[in-house]
């Protein structure tokens, strides 16, 4: 695996690959890699000629400086994991490389309501920062395919809208949520769960699955109410949102006939740790998010 810290060196190397007609896959991450991230690398490895993984803890998407400070940075073990997953190129830039003084990196993208819904209510500014860094990384790497996780569904939706608006010739690939054996979606935050939290965390996915079973006989509103109550009535859990939304607009649906792409999505505090998760309830696109 090649490691580049500077934009110019990375671009020189990629330029040579592109000249040979090689297809480039890109996996942007913030490091602290787990099997969820690695599944993206492996998928990109199977589907493209050369995989670029970036590790950059992007300051502009953190609204809490303490959260940014606390973000884990186990770079040695990340490198080992990437090597064994067959990643070809690691891009490990400094903040100065991503945001060089004098370069306007702001994105000219009309978010509409996409960054206001769901996470947007609780993390103001987060998606603007995310879009800025993804846009900058894409401008640097100019990949053929971009691999992102369904786990961060709103992020995926915003990046898809951004690529559509830009008319960028990049294929965005949704990768399924990788879970622990008990159903908990893998996340670097899981390391902060206490032993007691760990007994509660599986309830999140169980409840999303329950919503899926309920969709045959109940309205979205009834499902939202029953599932939120079930979670909130469990001591140690606190729901921030539990919503059934149109998978493109992220707006709540009133009936299952309202949209052909529907997702049930949640953010729940498990003790001191805020976890997000989602399940696709209805979609032709779901086929691309099925675990292989
Ligand atoms: P992050 O480092 O948290 O920014 O995540 C980098 C990429 O990995 C994003 O596209 C995430 O959606 C994806 N990802 C994170 N957790 C998982 C998971 N459990 N399963 C699949 N993909 C994931």
């Amino acid at each position: 695996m090649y490691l580049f810290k500077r934009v110019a060196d990375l671009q020189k190397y990629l330029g040579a690959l592109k000249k040979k007609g090689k297809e480039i896959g890109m996996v942007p991450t913030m490091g602290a890699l787990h099997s969820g991230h690695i599944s993206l690398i492996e998928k990109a490895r199977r589907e493209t000629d050369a995989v670029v993984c970036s590790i950059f803890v992007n300051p502009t998407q953190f609204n809490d400086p303490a959260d940014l400070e606390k973000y884990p940075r186990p770079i040695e073990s990340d490198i080992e994991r990437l090597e064994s997953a067959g990643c070809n190129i690691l891009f490990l830039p400094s903040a100065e490389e991503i945001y060089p003084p004098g370069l306007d990196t702001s994105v000219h993208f009309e978010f509409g309501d996409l960054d206001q819904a769901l996470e947007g209510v609780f993390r103001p500014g987060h998606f603007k920062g995310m879009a800025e860094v993804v846009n900058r990384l894409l401008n640097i790497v100019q990949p053929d395919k971009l691999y992102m996780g369904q786990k961060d569904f709103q992020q995926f939706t915003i990046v898809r809208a951004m690529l559509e608006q830009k008319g960028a010739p990049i294929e965005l690939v949704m990768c399924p949520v990788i879970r622990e054996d008990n159903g908990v979606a893998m996340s670097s935050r899981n390391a902060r769960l206490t032993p007691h939290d760990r007994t509660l965390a599986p309830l999140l996915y169980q409840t999303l699955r329950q919503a899926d079973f309920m969709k045959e006989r109940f309205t979205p509103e009834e499902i939202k109410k029953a599932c939120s109550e079930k979670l909130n009535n469990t001591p140690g859990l606190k729901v921030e949102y539990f919503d059934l939304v149109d998978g493109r607009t992220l707006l709540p649906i009133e009936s299952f006939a309202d949209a052909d792409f529907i997702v049930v999505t949640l953010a729940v505090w498990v003790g001191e740790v805020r976890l997000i998760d989602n399940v696709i309830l209805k979609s032709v696109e779901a086929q691309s998010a099925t675990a292989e």
Side-chain angles (χ1 to χ4, degrees):
M1 181 172 73
Y2 289 95
L3 190 162
F4 296 101
K5 295 190 171 183
R6 302 184 68 102
V7 172
D9 298 335
L10 172 69
Q11 284 183 324
K12 193 165 161 211
Y13 184 73
L14 288 176
L17 287 181
K18 287 175 189 174
K19 239 190 203 149
K20 288 190 209 151
K22 303 286 184 199
E23 209 178 28
I24 312 289
M26 159 133 222
V27 181
T29 79
M30 298 208 298
L33 304 179
H34 50 64
S35 305
H37 298 112
I38 296 303
S39 74
L40 273 57
I41 303 284
E42 289 171 345
K43 189 167 169 62
R45 192 79 188 86
R46 289 193 297 273
E47 297 178 0
T48 62
D49 300 313
V51 179
V52 182
C53 174
S54 59
I55 297 184
F56 180 62
V57 183
N58 176 35
T60 69
Q61 71 189 67
F62 283 81
N63 28 12
D64 176 2
D67 208 18
L68 172 64
E69 192 65 35
K70 270 193 304 202
Y71 205 85
R73 293 166 172 85
I75 191 60
E76 296 299 326
S77 64
D78 283 353
I79 290 176
E80 272 172 32
R81 276 177 166 255
L82 289 172
E83 296 246 33
S84 37
C87 181
N88 306 95
I89 299 156
L90 168 59
F91 181 41
L92 192 62
S94 63
E96 290 71 33
E97 285 291 305
I98 297 294
Y99 303 119
L103 181 73
D104 178 11
T105 55
S106 56
V107 273
H108 304 283
F109 163 58
E110 207 35 75
F111 285 85
D113 292 329
L114 291 180
D115 66 331
Q116 304 300 315
L118 307 171
E119 291 291 292
V121 176
F122 302 93
R123 304 180 72 190
H126 166 70
F127 289 115
K128 291 231 158 59
M130 180 282 292
E132 182 180 26
V133 77
V134 170
N135 187 54
R136 171 81 175 122
L137 288 168
L138 292 178
N139 285 340
I140 293 170
V141 175
Q142 301 190 11
D144 299 284
K145 294 188 177 180
L146 172 64
Y147 292 82
M148 300 189 80
Q150 179 201 324
K151 163 79 176 15
D152 298 278
F153 189 82
Q154 188 167 8
Q155 167 172 286
F156 184 92
T157 305
I158 290 174
V159 171
R160 176 172 52 201
M162 186 170 81
L163 292 176
E164 283 171 3
Q165 268 183 39
K166 273 166 75 103
I170 299 173
E171 185 186 333
L172 178 61
V173 182
M174 182 187 275
C175 304
V177 184
I178 303 299
R179 302 178 177 282
E180 308 283 356
D181 290 342
N182 62 8
V184 175
M186 289 192 184
S187 163
S188 54
R189 290 164 182 247
N190 294 352
R192 291 174 22 215
L193 295 168
T194 65
H196 178 61
D197 295 341
R198 281 170 203 280
T199 64
L200 300 175
L203 260 176
L204 275 51
Y205 182 52
Q206 283 166 22
T207 310
L208 291 169
R209 295 281 305 274
Q210 186 188 335
D212 197 9
F213 292 129
M214 289 175 77
K215 73 182 181 212
E216 307 302 335
R217 286 188 293 127
F218 296 90
T219 66
E221 188 55 37
E222 287 166 341
I223 295 173
K224 173 184 163 107
K225 189 164 178 287
C227 291
S228 308
E229 276 175 9
K230 176 180 159 189
L231 290 168
N232 271 332
N233 289 339
T234 306
L237 297 185
K238 188 164 181 337
V239 176
E240 265 191 356
Y241 62 81
F242 186 104
D243 282 310
L244 289 86
V245 299
D246 180 316
R248 283 194 155 263
T249 64
L250 303 180
L251 296 173
I253 51 152
E254 283 174 15
S255 123
F256 287 103
D258 278 1
D260 55 13
F261 186 23
I262 297 175
V263 178
V264 56
T265 180
L266 59 70
V268 175
W269 286 92
V270 181
E272 302 288 305
V273 186
R274 183 179 186 275
L275 298 183
I276 60 169
D277 200 352
N278 68 84
V279 162
I280 295 174
L281 297 184
K282 178 178 171 185
S283 170
V284 274
E285 300 179 41
Q287 284 148 13
S288 66
T290 305
E292 283 161 26

